[in-house]
Amino acid sequence: MAQVIQDQPAEHAVGDLTDELTAYMERKGLRSTSQRRLVSEVFFSAEGHYSIDEVLAMARAKDPKVGYATVYRTMKLLVACGLANERQFGDTVTRFEIARHDSHHDHLICIECKRIVEFEDDEIEAQQEALAKRYGFRLVSHKHELYGVCPACRDK
Amino acid sequence: MAQVIQDQPAEHAVGDLTDELTAYMERKGLRSTSQRRLVSEVFFSAEGHYSIDEVLAMARAKDPKVGYATVYRTMKLLVACGLANERQFGDTVTRFEIARHDSHHDHLICIECKRIVEFEDDEIEAQQEALAKRYGFRLVSHKHELYGVCPACRDK
DNA sequence: TCGCAAGTGAAAATCGATTTCAACAAGGAT
DNA sequence: ATCCTTGTTGAAATCGATTTTCACTTGCGA
């Protein structure tokens, strides 16, 4: 059965994510710079699905000197260490979301107001597996996005 | 239950598609040019998922003078009149496929050889509807792509 | 056939993602 | 604490794909 997940998912312990990042950087011999700390902090704190530009804006609110390339590279770093996922919804911009190791989720997107709701449905997941197997494929990943009009926009 | 669809789907009557296109252009006051006839013909004849460059190559085989922009605009025209769908699989290039009004299908993509298999699964479709409804969304469209390794590539 | 609005194609512009490179700074060695 | 090596930063350049521009061409109705 599908399990309802909040629009704004349960808060993550920013500290835990930061610790994981720090451990990863240490393991890889990467340096803990003020920019990386700033960018990861604003991204971990502001839960949602953000583009590079949006993360840049959040970071610049605290330090106007950070550059686009730094945010770009830091987000790639977060993806590389498994703390963020890269997504493209309909439009062309790439968005990032905090990765949760425990559960996989997909997205329901309002084509009017662009609101993004996350959902998890074990039955659909199981059927995907069955389907891939039927074609002899070893399933590695998937992209499942539902586009529609949300309740708030329907009533307008 | 899922229904198996051929890798290369059943042949379309190119004439029917052409007729639909002609009717659309007439309705909209658009002109039937030799380029539009050429591009739509090669696209309708060669079933599959093609990028602009691939359609351009097919068109140039018959008339080396056609330009990229013309193919680009013609493909957009086909999308506008509902005869083609625009898709992006993993990579950055946009691909086009013939739109079939009767049935909806999704894609199973081999991450090794890039082979694209189409599938149709009524159960998953129904579950998507149920899920959208549960969130109060009116479902408009969806994107469902499964990425994995196909049988041929598994054995290599 | 004529006139002109729509269409074509080469090239330029745009757009987002990615890389370059000189200046900078983290952090281990001294 | 200072030095030195090497990874990091940020502005700008580049890249690859898409989209637009504009002078020229062509379909097609009068």
mmCIF file of all heavy atoms in Angstrom, chain A residues 2 121 123-124 127-128 131 134-138 140-145 147-151 154, chain B residues 1-2 121 123-124 127-128 131 134-138 140-145 147-151 154:
data_model
loop_
_atom_site.group_PDB
_atom_site.id
_atom_site.type_symbol
_atom_site.label_atom_id
_atom_site.label_comp_id
_atom_site.label_asym_id
_atom_site.label_seq_id
_atom_site.Cartn_x
_atom_site.Cartn_y
_atom_site.Cartn_z
ATOM 1 N N ALA A 2 0.356 2.255 -0.606
ATOM 2 C CA ALA A 2 1.121 3.506 -0.668
ATOM 3 C C ALA A 2 1.154 4.152 0.705
ATOM 4 O O ALA A 2 0.202 4.043 1.477
ATOM 5 C CB ALA A 2 0.504 4.461 -1.656
ATOM 6 N N ASP A 121 5.371 4.015 -3.073
ATOM 7 C CA ASP A 121 4.347 3.001 -3.302
ATOM 8 C C ASP A 121 5.024 1.662 -3.554
ATOM 9 O O ASP A 121 5.575 1.420 -4.629
ATOM 10 C CB ASP A 121 3.465 3.413 -4.483
ATOM 11 C CG ASP A 121 2.210 2.560 -4.587
ATOM 12 O OD1 ASP A 121 2.335 1.299 -4.574
ATOM 13 O OD2 ASP A 121 1.113 3.116 -4.683
ATOM 14 N N GLU A 123 3.786 -1.255 -3.928
ATOM 15 C CA GLU A 123 3.157 -2.112 -4.941
ATOM 16 C C GLU A 123 3.681 -1.775 -6.330
ATOM 17 O O GLU A 123 4.012 -2.658 -7.117
ATOM 18 C CB GLU A 123 1.639 -1.919 -4.922
ATOM 19 C CG GLU A 123 0.901 -3.039 -4.224
ATOM 20 C CD GLU A 123 -0.598 -2.840 -4.329
ATOM 21 O OE1 GLU A 123 -1.131 -2.953 -5.445
ATOM 22 O OE2 GLU A 123 -1.226 -2.536 -3.288
ATOM 23 N N ILE A 124 3.738 -0.489 -6.630
ATOM 24 C CA ILE A 124 4.250 -0.085 -7.938
ATOM 25 C C ILE A 124 5.709 -0.502 -8.076
ATOM 26 O O ILE A 124 6.126 -1.014 -9.115
ATOM 27 C CB ILE A 124 4.080 1.445 -8.159
ATOM 28 C CG1 ILE A 124 2.591 1.800 -8.254
ATOM 29 C CG2 ILE A 124 4.788 1.875 -9.444
ATOM 30 C CD1 ILE A 124 2.301 3.277 -8.465
ATOM 31 N N GLN A 127 5.845 -4.087 -8.911
ATOM 32 C CA GLN A 127 5.422 -4.342 -10.283
ATOM 33 C C GLN A 127 6.484 -3.953 -11.299
ATOM 34 O O GLN A 127 6.608 -4.567 -12.353
ATOM 35 C CB GLN A 127 4.119 -3.603 -10.565
ATOM 36 C CG GLN A 127 2.983 -4.193 -9.752
ATOM 37 C CD GLN A 127 1.639 -3.822 -10.327
ATOM 38 O OE1 GLN A 127 1.543 -2.991 -11.211
ATOM 39 N NE2 GLN A 127 0.606 -4.459 -9.832
ATOM 40 N N GLN A 128 7.231 -2.940 -10.962
ATOM 41 C CA GLN A 128 8.327 -2.541 -11.846
ATOM 42 C C GLN A 128 9.352 -3.662 -11.921
ATOM 43 O O GLN A 128 9.852 -4.005 -12.987
ATOM 44 C CB GLN A 128 9.021 -1.291 -11.301
ATOM 45 C CG GLN A 128 8.210 -0.042 -11.459
ATOM 46 C CD GLN A 128 8.924 1.149 -10.840
ATOM 47 O OE1 GLN A 128 10.098 1.074 -10.519
ATOM 48 N NE2 GLN A 128 8.212 2.235 -10.698
ATOM 49 N N LEU A 131 8.038 -6.471 -13.960
ATOM 50 C CA LEU A 131 8.030 -6.108 -15.372
ATOM 51 C C LEU A 131 9.423 -6.218 -15.987
ATOM 52 O O LEU A 131 9.606 -6.796 -17.064
ATOM 53 C CB LEU A 131 7.498 -4.682 -15.509
ATOM 54 C CG LEU A 131 6.984 -4.352 -16.888
ATOM 55 C CD1 LEU A 131 5.683 -3.584 -16.789
ATOM 56 C CD2 LEU A 131 7.998 -3.547 -17.659
ATOM 57 N N ARG A 134 10.370 -9.746 -16.499
ATOM 58 C CA ARG A 134 9.656 -10.333 -17.633
ATOM 59 C C ARG A 134 10.399 -10.069 -18.949
ATOM 60 O O ARG A 134 10.313 -10.839 -19.887
ATOM 61 C CB ARG A 134 8.237 -9.738 -17.677
ATOM 62 C CG ARG A 134 7.211 -10.618 -18.351
ATOM 63 C CD ARG A 134 5.833 -9.962 -18.246
ATOM 64 N NE ARG A 134 5.499 -9.612 -16.864
ATOM 65 C CZ ARG A 134 4.868 -8.494 -16.496
ATOM 66 N NH1 ARG A 134 4.491 -7.622 -17.398
ATOM 67 N NH2 ARG A 134 4.613 -8.272 -15.219
ATOM 68 N N TYR A 135 11.098 -8.946 -19.003
ATOM 69 C CA TYR A 135 11.845 -8.608 -20.219
ATOM 70 C C TYR A 135 13.305 -9.043 -20.107
ATOM 71 O O TYR A 135 14.109 -8.735 -20.981
ATOM 72 C CB TYR A 135 11.789 -7.102 -20.470
ATOM 73 C CG TYR A 135 10.463 -6.628 -21.019
ATOM 74 C CD1 TYR A 135 9.442 -6.221 -20.163
ATOM 75 C CD2 TYR A 135 10.231 -6.605 -22.397
ATOM 76 C CE1 TYR A 135 8.227 -5.792 -20.655
ATOM 77 C CE2 TYR A 135 9.016 -6.172 -22.905
ATOM 78 C CZ TYR A 135 8.014 -5.762 -22.031
ATOM 79 O OH TYR A 135 6.818 -5.345 -22.535
ATOM 80 N N GLY A 136 13.641 -9.696 -19.000
ATOM 81 C CA GLY A 136 15.005 -10.166 -18.817
ATOM 82 C C GLY A 136 15.987 -9.088 -18.379
ATOM 83 O O GLY A 136 17.191 -9.300 -18.389
ATOM 84 N N PHE A 137 15.467 -7.933 -17.995
ATOM 85 C CA PHE A 137 16.338 -6.838 -17.579
ATOM 86 C C PHE A 137 16.687 -6.952 -16.095
ATOM 87 O O PHE A 137 15.863 -7.368 -15.298
ATOM 88 C CB PHE A 137 15.644 -5.489 -17.764
ATOM 89 C CG PHE A 137 15.773 -4.893 -19.142
ATOM 90 C CD1 PHE A 137 15.293 -5.564 -20.266
ATOM 91 C CD2 PHE A 137 16.348 -3.651 -19.319
ATOM 92 C CE1 PHE A 137 15.387 -5.006 -21.540
ATOM 93 C CE2 PHE A 137 16.452 -3.066 -20.580
ATOM 94 C CZ PHE A 137 15.973 -3.744 -21.691
ATOM 95 N N ARG A 138 17.893 -6.543 -15.753
ATOM 96 C CA ARG A 138 18.250 -6.396 -14.355
ATOM 97 C C ARG A 138 18.007 -4.915 -14.063
ATOM 98 O O ARG A 138 18.667 -4.047 -14.651
ATOM 99 C CB ARG A 138 19.729 -6.748 -14.121
ATOM 100 C CG ARG A 138 20.163 -6.555 -12.668
ATOM 101 C CD ARG A 138 21.515 -7.207 -12.401
ATOM 102 N NE ARG A 138 22.560 -6.663 -13.268
ATOM 103 C CZ ARG A 138 23.151 -5.470 -13.106
ATOM 104 N NH1 ARG A 138 22.785 -4.694 -12.104
ATOM 105 N NH2 ARG A 138 24.080 -5.060 -13.938
ATOM 106 N N VAL A 140 18.095 -1.387 -12.552
ATOM 107 C CA VAL A 140 19.104 -0.622 -11.828
ATOM 108 C C VAL A 140 18.492 0.619 -11.169
ATOM 109 O O VAL A 140 18.752 0.913 -10.015
ATOM 110 C CB VAL A 140 20.257 -0.212 -12.766
ATOM 111 C CG1 VAL A 140 21.211 0.747 -12.074
ATOM 112 C CG2 VAL A 140 20.995 -1.452 -13.261
ATOM 113 N N SER A 141 17.696 1.343 -11.915
ATOM 114 C CA SER A 141 17.057 2.519 -11.343
ATOM 115 C C SER A 141 15.805 2.836 -12.134
ATOM 116 O O SER A 141 15.534 2.193 -13.146
ATOM 117 C CB SER A 141 18.000 3.718 -11.398
ATOM 118 O OG SER A 141 18.200 4.093 -12.752
ATOM 119 N N HIS A 142 15.077 3.825 -11.680
ATOM 120 C CA HIS A 142 13.904 4.225 -12.446
ATOM 121 C C HIS A 142 13.549 5.668 -12.169
ATOM 122 O O HIS A 142 14.038 6.273 -11.214
ATOM 123 C CB HIS A 142 12.718 3.312 -12.138
ATOM 124 C CG HIS A 142 12.146 3.519 -10.774
ATOM 125 N ND1 HIS A 142 12.459 2.710 -9.704
ATOM 126 C CD2 HIS A 142 11.302 4.464 -10.285
ATOM 127 C CE1 HIS A 142 11.817 3.140 -8.635
ATOM 128 N NE2 HIS A 142 11.117 4.214 -8.955
ATOM 129 N N LYS A 143 12.732 6.193 -13.054
ATOM 130 C CA LYS A 143 12.257 7.565 -12.916
ATOM 131 C C LYS A 143 10.746 7.487 -13.058
ATOM 132 O O LYS A 143 10.235 6.962 -14.044
ATOM 133 C CB LYS A 143 12.855 8.408 -14.037
ATOM 134 C CG LYS A 143 12.465 9.856 -13.998
ATOM 135 C CD LYS A 143 13.054 10.595 -15.182
ATOM 136 C CE LYS A 143 14.549 10.780 -15.037
ATOM 137 N NZ LYS A 143 15.102 11.636 -16.111
ATOM 138 N N HIS A 144 10.044 7.927 -12.058
ATOM 139 C CA HIS A 144 8.588 7.842 -12.105
ATOM 140 C C HIS A 144 8.015 9.158 -11.627
ATOM 141 O O HIS A 144 8.109 9.487 -10.442
ATOM 142 C CB HIS A 144 8.103 6.688 -11.226
ATOM 143 C CG HIS A 144 6.704 6.260 -11.540
ATOM 144 N ND1 HIS A 144 6.060 5.254 -10.869
ATOM 145 C CD2 HIS A 144 5.841 6.693 -12.482
ATOM 146 C CE1 HIS A 144 4.847 5.093 -11.371
ATOM 147 N NE2 HIS A 144 4.680 5.963 -12.348
ATOM 148 N N GLU A 145 7.456 9.905 -12.541
ATOM 149 C CA GLU A 145 6.902 11.204 -12.193
ATOM 150 C C GLU A 145 5.474 11.323 -12.695
ATOM 151 O O GLU A 145 5.191 11.017 -13.838
ATOM 152 C CB GLU A 145 7.745 12.315 -12.837
ATOM 153 C CG GLU A 145 9.114 12.429 -12.207
ATOM 154 C CD GLU A 145 10.163 12.905 -13.190
ATOM 155 O OE1 GLU A 145 9.793 13.526 -14.200
ATOM 156 O OE2 GLU A 145 11.348 12.619 -12.954
ATOM 157 N N TYR A 147 2.406 13.927 -13.359
ATOM 158 C CA TYR A 147 2.119 15.341 -13.528
ATOM 159 C C TYR A 147 0.617 15.556 -13.522
ATOM 160 O O TYR A 147 -0.115 14.842 -14.205
ATOM 161 C CB TYR A 147 2.701 15.853 -14.849
ATOM 162 C CG TYR A 147 4.202 15.777 -14.895
ATOM 163 C CD1 TYR A 147 4.858 14.633 -15.344
ATOM 164 C CD2 TYR A 147 4.964 16.852 -14.432
ATOM 165 C CE1 TYR A 147 6.249 14.552 -15.353
ATOM 166 C CE2 TYR A 147 6.354 16.783 -14.431
ATOM 167 C CZ TYR A 147 6.988 15.627 -14.898
ATOM 168 O OH TYR A 147 8.360 15.566 -14.896
ATOM 169 N N GLY A 148 0.172 16.532 -12.747
ATOM 170 C CA GLY A 148 -1.255 16.771 -12.682
ATOM 171 C C GLY A 148 -1.554 18.118 -12.045
ATOM 172 O O GLY A 148 -0.673 18.966 -11.946
ATOM 173 N N VAL A 149 -2.812 18.269 -11.628
ATOM 174 C CA VAL A 149 -3.215 19.532 -11.011
ATOM 175 C C VAL A 149 -3.554 19.243 -9.556
ATOM 176 O O VAL A 149 -4.374 18.372 -9.268
ATOM 177 C CB VAL A 149 -4.441 20.134 -11.734
ATOM 178 C CG1 VAL A 149 -4.793 21.481 -11.138
ATOM 179 C CG2 VAL A 149 -4.161 20.251 -13.230
ATOM 180 N N CYS A 150 -2.927 19.961 -8.658
ATOM 181 C CA CYS A 150 -3.111 19.703 -7.231
ATOM 182 C C CYS A 150 -4.450 20.267 -6.745
ATOM 183 O O CYS A 150 -5.054 21.087 -7.426
ATOM 184 C CB CYS A 150 -1.943 20.280 -6.431
ATOM 185 S SG CYS A 150 -2.015 22.066 -6.210
ATOM 186 N N PRO A 151 -4.896 19.812 -5.594
ATOM 187 C CA PRO A 151 -6.200 20.243 -5.061
ATOM 188 C C PRO A 151 -6.349 21.764 -5.026
ATOM 189 O O PRO A 151 -7.371 22.299 -5.454
ATOM 190 C CB PRO A 151 -6.204 19.670 -3.648
ATOM 191 C CG PRO A 151 -5.272 18.509 -3.705
ATOM 192 C CD PRO A 151 -4.222 18.868 -4.690
ATOM 193 N N ARG A 154 -6.928 23.108 -8.498
ATOM 194 C CA ARG A 154 -8.190 22.658 -9.116
ATOM 195 C C ARG A 154 -9.315 23.600 -8.753
ATOM 196 O O ARG A 154 -10.219 23.849 -9.539
ATOM 197 C CB ARG A 154 -8.565 21.261 -8.619
ATOM 198 C CG ARG A 154 -7.646 20.186 -9.090
ATOM 199 C CD ARG A 154 -8.107 18.847 -8.565
ATOM 200 N NE ARG A 154 -9.242 18.355 -9.333
ATOM 201 C CZ ARG A 154 -9.650 17.095 -9.308
ATOM 202 N NH1 ARG A 154 -9.031 16.220 -8.549
ATOM 203 N NH2 ARG A 154 -10.672 16.708 -10.013
ATOM 204 N N MET B 1 -2.802 -6.826 -16.320
ATOM 205 C CA MET B 1 -1.541 -7.545 -16.615
ATOM 206 C C MET B 1 -0.748 -6.822 -17.685
ATOM 207 O O MET B 1 -1.314 -6.202 -18.583
ATOM 208 C CB MET B 1 -1.899 -8.949 -17.109
ATOM 209 C CG MET B 1 -0.779 -9.966 -16.924
ATOM 210 S SD MET B 1 -0.241 -10.101 -15.226
ATOM 211 C CE MET B 1 1.480 -9.771 -15.273
ATOM 212 N N ALA B 2 0.516 -6.907 -17.593
ATOM 213 C CA ALA B 2 1.356 -6.236 -18.598
ATOM 214 C C ALA B 2 1.237 -6.934 -19.939
ATOM 215 O O ALA B 2 1.045 -8.147 -20.009
ATOM 216 C CB ALA B 2 2.811 -6.262 -18.154
ATOM 217 N N ASP B 121 1.520 -1.276 -19.175
ATOM 218 C CA ASP B 121 1.090 -2.049 -18.023
ATOM 219 C C ASP B 121 -0.126 -1.379 -17.401
ATOM 220 O O ASP B 121 -0.021 -0.350 -16.744
ATOM 221 C CB ASP B 121 2.236 -2.161 -17.009
ATOM 222 C CG ASP B 121 1.951 -3.192 -15.935
ATOM 223 O OD1 ASP B 121 0.869 -3.127 -15.312
ATOM 224 O OD2 ASP B 121 2.793 -4.072 -15.723
ATOM 225 N N GLU B 123 -2.016 -2.309 -15.023
ATOM 226 C CA GLU B 123 -2.094 -2.312 -13.560
ATOM 227 C C GLU B 123 -1.357 -1.118 -12.972
ATOM 228 O O GLU B 123 -1.865 -0.432 -12.091
ATOM 229 C CB GLU B 123 -1.479 -3.596 -13.011
ATOM 230 C CG GLU B 123 -2.525 -4.609 -12.597
ATOM 231 C CD GLU B 123 -1.857 -5.816 -11.958
ATOM 232 O OE1 GLU B 123 -1.320 -5.674 -10.833
ATOM 233 O OE2 GLU B 123 -1.864 -6.887 -12.588
ATOM 234 N N ILE B 124 -0.152 -0.883 -13.493
ATOM 235 C CA ILE B 124 0.616 0.252 -12.989
ATOM 236 C C ILE B 124 -0.112 1.548 -13.308
ATOM 237 O O ILE B 124 -0.207 2.445 -12.468
ATOM 238 C CB ILE B 124 2.057 0.261 -13.571
ATOM 239 C CG1 ILE B 124 2.838 -0.942 -13.053
ATOM 240 C CG2 ILE B 124 2.777 1.558 -13.203
ATOM 241 C CD1 ILE B 124 4.284 -1.045 -13.544
ATOM 242 N N GLN B 127 -2.790 2.027 -10.853
ATOM 243 C CA GLN B 127 -2.276 2.400 -9.542
ATOM 244 C C GLN B 127 -1.834 3.846 -9.491
ATOM 245 O O GLN B 127 -1.934 4.508 -8.465
ATOM 246 C CB GLN B 127 -1.122 1.472 -9.168
ATOM 247 C CG GLN B 127 -1.610 0.057 -8.934
ATOM 248 C CD GLN B 127 -0.609 -0.769 -8.177
ATOM 249 O OE1 GLN B 127 0.526 -0.337 -7.972
ATOM 250 N NE2 GLN B 127 -1.026 -1.947 -7.754
ATOM 251 N N GLN B 128 -1.338 4.334 -10.625
ATOM 252 C CA GLN B 128 -0.945 5.736 -10.693
ATOM 253 C C GLN B 128 -2.182 6.614 -10.497
ATOM 254 O O GLN B 128 -2.153 7.603 -9.769
ATOM 255 C CB GLN B 128 -0.340 6.057 -12.054
ATOM 256 C CG GLN B 128 1.038 5.473 -12.257
ATOM 257 C CD GLN B 128 1.573 5.750 -13.645
ATOM 258 O OE1 GLN B 128 1.001 6.542 -14.386
ATOM 259 N NE2 GLN B 128 2.654 5.106 -13.995
ATOM 260 N N LEU B 131 -3.266 6.557 -6.963
ATOM 261 C CA LEU B 131 -2.341 7.316 -6.133
ATOM 262 C C LEU B 131 -2.580 8.819 -6.264
ATOM 263 O O LEU B 131 -2.654 9.549 -5.269
ATOM 264 C CB LEU B 131 -0.918 6.970 -6.561
ATOM 265 C CG LEU B 131 0.142 7.292 -5.529
ATOM 266 C CD1 LEU B 131 1.127 6.136 -5.436
ATOM 267 C CD2 LEU B 131 0.849 8.565 -5.862
ATOM 268 N N ARG B 134 -5.631 9.830 -4.478
ATOM 269 C CA ARG B 134 -5.425 9.832 -3.038
ATOM 270 C C ARG B 134 -4.855 11.178 -2.565
ATOM 271 O O ARG B 134 -5.096 11.616 -1.450
ATOM 272 C CB ARG B 134 -4.457 8.697 -2.664
ATOM 273 C CG ARG B 134 -4.610 8.179 -1.264
ATOM 274 C CD ARG B 134 -3.677 6.983 -1.050
ATOM 275 N NE ARG B 134 -3.882 5.941 -2.049
ATOM 276 C CZ ARG B 134 -2.901 5.234 -2.601
ATOM 277 N NH1 ARG B 134 -1.650 5.446 -2.258
ATOM 278 N NH2 ARG B 134 -3.189 4.314 -3.505
ATOM 279 N N TYR B 135 -4.092 11.830 -3.430
ATOM 280 C CA TYR B 135 -3.508 13.119 -3.080
ATOM 281 C C TYR B 135 -4.369 14.272 -3.588
ATOM 282 O O TYR B 135 -3.978 15.429 -3.479
ATOM 283 C CB TYR B 135 -2.101 13.239 -3.676
ATOM 284 C CG TYR B 135 -1.060 12.442 -2.934
ATOM 285 C CD1 TYR B 135 -0.788 11.128 -3.297
ATOM 286 C CD2 TYR B 135 -0.374 13.001 -1.858
ATOM 287 C CE1 TYR B 135 0.168 10.390 -2.612
ATOM 288 C CE2 TYR B 135 0.583 12.272 -1.176
ATOM 289 C CZ TYR B 135 0.848 10.962 -1.549
ATOM 290 O OH TYR B 135 1.793 10.244 -0.869
ATOM 291 N N GLY B 136 -5.508 13.935 -4.184
ATOM 292 C CA GLY B 136 -6.397 14.979 -4.682
ATOM 293 C C GLY B 136 -5.969 15.586 -6.001
ATOM 294 O O GLY B 136 -6.499 16.608 -6.428
ATOM 295 N N PHE B 137 -4.997 14.962 -6.658
ATOM 296 C CA PHE B 137 -4.516 15.490 -7.935
ATOM 297 C C PHE B 137 -5.369 14.972 -9.088
ATOM 298 O O PHE B 137 -5.823 13.839 -9.075
ATOM 299 C CB PHE B 137 -3.081 15.028 -8.207
ATOM 300 C CG PHE B 137 -2.017 15.909 -7.611
ATOM 301 C CD1 PHE B 137 -1.959 16.125 -6.240
ATOM 302 C CD2 PHE B 137 -1.060 16.505 -8.420
ATOM 303 C CE1 PHE B 137 -0.953 16.922 -5.687
ATOM 304 C CE2 PHE B 137 -0.058 17.300 -7.871
ATOM 305 C CZ PHE B 137 -0.004 17.507 -6.501
ATOM 306 N N ARG B 138 -5.546 15.796 -10.087
ATOM 307 C CA ARG B 138 -6.146 15.338 -11.343
ATOM 308 C C ARG B 138 -4.937 15.005 -12.217
ATOM 309 O O ARG B 138 -4.156 15.883 -12.587
ATOM 310 C CB ARG B 138 -6.996 16.437 -11.993
ATOM 311 C CG ARG B 138 -7.596 16.012 -13.332
ATOM 312 C CD ARG B 138 -8.665 17.001 -13.799
ATOM 313 N NE ARG B 138 -8.122 18.352 -13.926
ATOM 314 C CZ ARG B 138 -7.375 18.771 -14.962
ATOM 315 N NH1 ARG B 138 -7.076 17.934 -15.942
ATOM 316 N NH2 ARG B 138 -6.929 20.008 -15.006
ATOM 317 N N VAL B 140 -2.621 14.323 -15.209
ATOM 318 C CA VAL B 140 -2.600 14.783 -16.592
ATOM 319 C C VAL B 140 -1.663 13.932 -17.453
ATOM 320 O O VAL B 140 -2.003 13.521 -18.550
ATOM 321 C CB VAL B 140 -2.179 16.272 -16.667
ATOM 322 C CG1 VAL B 140 -1.963 16.707 -18.107
ATOM 323 C CG2 VAL B 140 -3.248 17.138 -16.000
ATOM 324 N N SER B 141 -0.495 13.671 -16.947
ATOM 325 C CA SER B 141 0.455 12.844 -17.690
ATOM 326 C C SER B 141 1.456 12.244 -16.724
ATOM 327 O O SER B 141 1.446 12.559 -15.532
ATOM 328 C CB SER B 141 1.198 13.686 -18.719
ATOM 329 O OG SER B 141 2.034 14.626 -18.052
ATOM 330 N N HIS B 142 2.308 11.405 -17.241
ATOM 331 C CA HIS B 142 3.344 10.863 -16.373
ATOM 332 C C HIS B 142 4.543 10.430 -17.181
ATOM 333 O O HIS B 142 4.481 10.321 -18.410
ATOM 334 C CB HIS B 142 2.807 9.687 -15.563
ATOM 335 C CG HIS B 142 2.534 8.461 -16.381
ATOM 336 N ND1 HIS B 142 1.284 8.140 -16.842
ATOM 337 C CD2 HIS B 142 3.361 7.513 -16.849
ATOM 338 C CE1 HIS B 142 1.354 7.029 -17.540
ATOM 339 N NE2 HIS B 142 2.606 6.623 -17.575
ATOM 340 N N LYS B 143 5.627 10.252 -16.476
ATOM 341 C CA LYS B 143 6.862 9.796 -17.097
ATOM 342 C C LYS B 143 7.316 8.605 -16.269
ATOM 343 O O LYS B 143 7.468 8.710 -15.058
ATOM 344 C CB LYS B 143 7.896 10.923 -17.023
ATOM 345 C CG LYS B 143 9.214 10.596 -17.663
ATOM 346 C CD LYS B 143 10.183 11.759 -17.502
ATOM 347 C CE LYS B 143 9.800 12.947 -18.363
ATOM 348 N NZ LYS B 143 10.816 14.026 -18.305
ATOM 349 N N HIS B 144 7.464 7.480 -16.910
ATOM 350 C CA HIS B 144 7.863 6.287 -16.173
ATOM 351 C C HIS B 144 8.937 5.565 -16.978
ATOM 352 O O HIS B 144 8.656 4.997 -18.030
ATOM 353 C CB HIS B 144 6.651 5.374 -15.965
ATOM 354 C CG HIS B 144 6.850 4.360 -14.889
ATOM 355 N ND1 HIS B 144 5.904 3.425 -14.558
ATOM 356 C CD2 HIS B 144 7.891 4.147 -14.052
ATOM 357 C CE1 HIS B 144 6.367 2.669 -13.566
ATOM 358 N NE2 HIS B 144 7.565 3.094 -13.249
ATOM 359 N N GLU B 145 10.149 5.613 -16.492
ATOM 360 C CA GLU B 145 11.251 4.984 -17.202
ATOM 361 C C GLU B 145 12.003 4.044 -16.277
ATOM 362 O O GLU B 145 12.345 4.407 -15.167
ATOM 363 C CB GLU B 145 12.221 6.061 -17.720
ATOM 364 C CG GLU B 145 11.621 6.901 -18.837
ATOM 365 C CD GLU B 145 12.161 8.321 -18.844
ATOM 366 O OE1 GLU B 145 13.265 8.537 -18.328
ATOM 367 O OE2 GLU B 145 11.452 9.207 -19.356
ATOM 368 N N TYR B 147 15.403 1.873 -15.882
ATOM 369 C CA TYR B 147 16.758 1.737 -16.405
ATOM 370 C C TYR B 147 17.392 0.469 -15.861
ATOM 371 O O TYR B 147 17.319 0.206 -14.661
ATOM 372 C CB TYR B 147 17.611 2.952 -15.998
ATOM 373 C CG TYR B 147 17.114 4.239 -16.601
ATOM 374 C CD1 TYR B 147 16.148 5.015 -15.954
ATOM 375 C CD2 TYR B 147 17.583 4.664 -17.841
ATOM 376 C CE1 TYR B 147 15.674 6.191 -16.527
ATOM 377 C CE2 TYR B 147 17.119 5.832 -18.424
ATOM 378 C CZ TYR B 147 16.165 6.594 -17.754
ATOM 379 O OH TYR B 147 15.694 7.741 -18.330
ATOM 380 N N GLY B 148 17.980 -0.304 -16.756
ATOM 381 C CA GLY B 148 18.601 -1.542 -16.309
ATOM 382 C C GLY B 148 19.513 -2.121 -17.366
ATOM 383 O O GLY B 148 19.902 -1.421 -18.297
ATOM 384 N N VAL B 149 19.852 -3.377 -17.195
ATOM 385 C CA VAL B 149 20.738 -4.034 -18.152
ATOM 386 C C VAL B 149 19.932 -5.106 -18.876
ATOM 387 O O VAL B 149 19.311 -5.962 -18.244
ATOM 388 C CB VAL B 149 21.938 -4.685 -17.422
ATOM 389 C CG1 VAL B 149 22.905 -5.285 -18.435
ATOM 390 C CG2 VAL B 149 22.638 -3.652 -16.558
ATOM 391 N N CYS B 150 19.928 -5.034 -20.200
ATOM 392 C CA CYS B 150 19.132 -5.963 -20.997
ATOM 393 C C CYS B 150 19.783 -7.341 -21.067
ATOM 394 O O CYS B 150 20.966 -7.488 -20.773
ATOM 395 C CB CYS B 150 18.885 -5.392 -22.395
ATOM 396 S SG CYS B 150 20.280 -5.533 -23.517
ATOM 397 N N PRO B 151 19.010 -8.347 -21.457
ATOM 398 C CA PRO B 151 19.514 -9.731 -21.496
ATOM 399 C C PRO B 151 20.809 -9.859 -22.289
ATOM 400 O O PRO B 151 21.758 -10.497 -21.835
ATOM 401 C CB PRO B 151 18.382 -10.490 -22.188
ATOM 402 C CG PRO B 151 17.160 -9.688 -21.925
ATOM 403 C CD PRO B 151 17.612 -8.262 -21.898
ATOM 404 N N ARG B 154 23.718 -8.493 -20.315
ATOM 405 C CA ARG B 154 24.002 -9.228 -19.072
ATOM 406 C C ARG B 154 24.954 -10.374 -19.356
ATOM 407 O O ARG B 154 25.789 -10.715 -18.523
ATOM 408 C CB ARG B 154 22.718 -9.838 -18.491
ATOM 409 C CG ARG B 154 21.745 -8.815 -17.981
ATOM 410 C CD ARG B 154 20.536 -9.492 -17.400
ATOM 411 N NE ARG B 154 20.818 -10.042 -16.081
ATOM 412 C CZ ARG B 154 19.875 -10.425 -15.232
ATOM 413 N NH1 ARG B 154 18.601 -10.327 -15.582
ATOM 414 N NH2 ARG B 154 20.189 -10.907 -14.063
#
